[in-house]
Amino acid sequence: KPYSRNDACCTVSPSELPAVVLVCVMSRISTLNSLEDVVRSRTGTNQSLTSSKAFSPTKSGDDSWKRISAKSFVDQRTSTELNEMFRMSEGRRDPDKLSRFWHEIKDRLLCRHGAMNAAFKALETSCDGGSLGFPEFSNMLQQLHLDLDQRTCRALFATAAGGGRGLPLHELKLMMMKKTIRKMKSVLNGFNQNQERVQAFIHIFIKQLVDADKSSQGRGVDRFQRKLTVAFCREFWNLLMTCSATTDCADPPVERTAFVQAVKGLVGKHFQAYELVFWVRLFDRIDCYGRGFVPMTHFITTLLVLSTETDTYSKVELLFQMFDTDSDGCLTYEQMLVMFRCICMWKPVAEQSTQAARGYDSTFQAELSAQEGQRTYERVLWFLHRSGNAEGGV
C-alpha cells in the first residue's frame, strides 16, 4: 500500500520491494539489521523494521527466506548462462563448456542426494533398460533447477547420446566424473614422478657405493653374475622372442636398441640401474664384429655359461629347447654340432680369458673354438652310439 514517512510502521511499496530484495541478494546480506539499513535508505525513516506488525519474521524464517531467494537467483542466472552458452552449435562442440555443464550436474546431484552412490542409484531407478531417454533427461534437469530451453536441452541430449534415442547410464556417469578422473590422473602422475625421482637418487647412491673401490666393483660383478639363474635365462629368452622383429625365424637376431630397451624394463625388478653397464658390455663382447645385432642362441648360451648355478641338467634342458629349431622334441646331428660349437665359442667369456676379452685375433679364436666344439661333438656322438640312445640321424 502507499506509505507515508510519518507512519509509525515502516512499510515498503510493492514497486520498491523487488529492488530491495535484489540488493539484499547481490550484497549477500546475512543479518536482519542490514536489511533494515537498506529499507531505511530507501524510505528515509529511522523506524525499526522489527517494530512493524506487517513485517515481523523470526530469525530462522528470515534466514530460510534469504537462502531460498539466493538459491533461486543463482539457479536462474546459471540457467541463463547455460542457455546462452549452448545456443550455438559451436558451444555444444566445445569440450571445456561441456565439461562445465556435466560438472554442474554432478555438483547438484551431490547436493541433492548427499553422495554420488546415492545419486547413481536414483538414476538407475529412474532410467529404463540401462539408458536415459530425453523425457527422463529433461525431468532430471528440472529437478536440479536447471531450466534450459527445450531446443538447447534436446541438442545437449543428442550430443551426449551420439544421435541415439537413449543415453547409456555408464556414459552419463563417465561424463559427470570426467573432470574428477582427470584430476585424479594428474595427482597420480605427480606421485609417479616423485617416485621415479626418488628411485633415481637411490640408483645414483648405489652406483657410487659400487664404484667406491676395486673390492666393491668385484662384489658388484659377483652379485650380477649370481642373478643369472637358469630360470631368469629362460624368462629373458621368452622376453627377447616377444621383442624380436622377425618372429618367423627360429633363431632371430637381437638388435642392440631392442636389447637395451628390454634390459631397461628389468631395472627395479631383477637388476639395479648400475648393472645396465654390464649388460651393454656383455652384448658388445658377443658382437665382436660391431654389426649391431647378435644371434639369440649365442646370447642366451653366454648367459648360461656365466651362470653360477650347479644344476647342469637344467642348463642342458634349456640349450636343448633353444637349438631344437623345428620344435620336434629331438636334435639332429647337425643341430648338436651347432650347439657344441656355440658353447665352446663363448666359454672363454666365463673363463676370463684376457685374449678373448680384449678381442685379439678373433678369427683365430673362433677357429680354435670351432675345433674344440667338433671334438666335443664327436665324443658325445661316440658315447650315444655306445649307449644305444642314438636312433638313425637323431
Side-chain angles (χ1 to χ4, degrees):
K1 67 179 182 178
Y3 66 94
S4 174
R5 295 186 179 182
N6 297 325
D7 292 342
C9 176
C10 174
T11 59
V12 181
S13 65
S15 60
E16 290 185 328
L17 182 60
V20 175
V21 174
L22 182 59
V23 171
C24 294
V25 173
M26 296 300 293
S27 303
R28 292 184 173 90
I29 297 175
S30 58
T31 61
L32 187 59
N33 294 329
S34 300
L35 184 60
E36 291 177 353
D37 295 338
V38 174
V39 173
R40 290 190 184 116
S41 65
R42 299 287 297 176
T43 59
T45 181
N46 294 327
Q47 296 295 329
S48 175
L49 189 64
T50 57
S51 63
S52 171
K53 295 181 181 180
F55 186 74
S56 58
T58 62
K59 179 176 177 58
S60 60
D62 182 58
D63 292 340
S64 301
W65 171 79
K66 284 185 288 186
R67 285 196 299 270
I68 293 173
S69 301
K71 185 177 183 301
S72 301
F73 178 78
V74 172
D75 291 342
Q76 184 178 2
R77 185 180 61 182
T78 304
S79 301
T80 304
E81 290 179 357
L82 292 176
N83 281 320
E84 292 294 332
M85 188 184 302
F86 298 114
R87 180 170 297 175
M88 305 300 293
S89 60
E90 291 80 4
R92 295 191 292 270
R93 290 195 296 265
D94 191 350
D96 296 333
K97 294 180 180 180
L98 289 174
S99 176
R100 178 189 171 185
F101 171 70
W102 294 113
H103 189 69
E104 181 71 23
I105 293 179
K106 189 200 77 170
D107 290 343
R108 291 175 181 252
L109 285 173
L110 189 60
C111 293
R112 181 181 179 87
H113 298 279
M116 290 307 299
N117 292 333
F120 289 153
K121 289 181 180 179
L123 289 175
E124 290 175 358
T125 55
S126 61
C127 67
D128 185 16
S131 61
L132 205 67
F134 175 72
E136 292 83 3
F137 180 76
S138 178
N139 186 28
M140 179 187 70
L141 295 183
Q142 291 178 2
Q143 292 179 358
L144 298 177
H145 304 287
L146 288 176
D147 298 329
L148 301 181
D149 295 339
Q150 191 75 3
R151 180 174 174 271
T152 304
C153 183
R154 185 172 291 277
L156 288 172
F157 178 80
T159 303
R165 298 174 62 94
L167 175 61
L169 187 59
H170 66 276
E171 292 289 339
L172 178 63
K173 294 179 181 179
L174 182 61
M175 286 185 290
M176 287 191 296
M177 300 299 295
K178 184 178 293 185
K179 189 174 181 179
T180 304
I181 294 173
R182 187 163 55 247
K183 290 182 180 179
M184 292 180 63
K185 285 183 178 180
S186 178
V187 173
L188 292 177
N189 289 333
F191 176 77
N192 292 333
Q193 291 177 359
N194 293 334
Q195 289 291 101
E196 292 175 358
R197 192 179 300 111
V198 171
Q199 289 294 329
F201 284 117
I202 292 175
H203 290 315
I204 292 174
F205 176 72
I206 294 176
K207 185 178 185 301
Q208 292 178 351
L209 290 179
V210 173
D211 295 338
D213 50 21
K214 293 293 184 181
S215 178
S216 299
Q217 293 177 1
R219 289 194 295 268
V221 175
D222 180 67
R223 284 192 296 269
F224 170 74
Q225 189 173 0
R226 283 189 277 109
K227 293 177 183 178
L228 301 178
T229 61
V230 178
F232 170 76
C233 292
R234 185 183 298 275
E235 180 182 352
F236 193 63
W237 176 44
N238 295 328
L239 177 62
L240 292 179
M241 288 293 291
T242 56
C243 296
S244 176
T246 56
T247 55
D248 54 345
C249 181
D251 187 14
V254 181
E255 297 183 356
R256 182 187 176 89
T257 55
F259 170 77
V260 173
Q261 291 296 328
V263 173
K264 284 183 178 179
L266 300 176
V267 174
K269 301 178 182 178
H270 298 280
F271 297 93
Q272 300 292 338
Y274 74 91
E275 294 173 332
L276 181 61
V277 180
F278 301 154
W279 282 105
V280 176
R281 290 177 180 175
L282 183 61
F283 186 91
D284 294 338
R285 172 64 187 88
I286 301 173
D287 185 19
C288 54
Y289 297 104
R291 294 175 296 183
F293 63 91
V294 295
M296 188 176 298
T297 53
H298 287 209
F299 192 85
I300 301 300
T301 301
T302 306
L303 294 183
L304 290 174
V305 170
L306 288 172
S307 178
T308 58
E309 283 195 11
T310 57
D311 188 5
T312 310
Y313 180 81
S314 59
K315 293 183 179 180
V316 174
E317 183 181 7
L318 181 55
L319 288 171
F320 190 99
Q321 294 177 1
M322 284 195 306
F323 285 94
D324 183 17
T325 55
D326 50 2
S327 302
D328 58 353
C330 59
L331 294 179
T332 61
Y333 292 154
E334 183 180 357
Q335 292 171 343
M336 288 175 56
L337 178 60
V338 173
M339 180 180 68
F340 284 116
R341 284 182 175 178
C342 184
I343 294 173
C344 295
M345 180 183 297
W346 303 115
K347 186 173 64 172
V349 177
E351 294 176 349
Q352 299 180 354
S353 174
T354 305
Q355 184 178 9
R358 293 178 181 177
Y360 292 160
D361 203 355
S362 57
T363 305
F364 180 72
Q365 182 66 34
E367 182 64 27
L368 292 178
S369 300
Q371 293 179 7
E372 185 181 1
Q374 182 71 30
R375 291 193 298 269
T376 306
Y377 162 73
E378 292 176 354
R379 288 198 300 268
V380 173
L381 187 61
W382 177 82
F383 174 78
L384 290 176
H385 281 295
R386 290 289 300 271
S387 61
N389 292 328
E391 299 179 0
V394 296

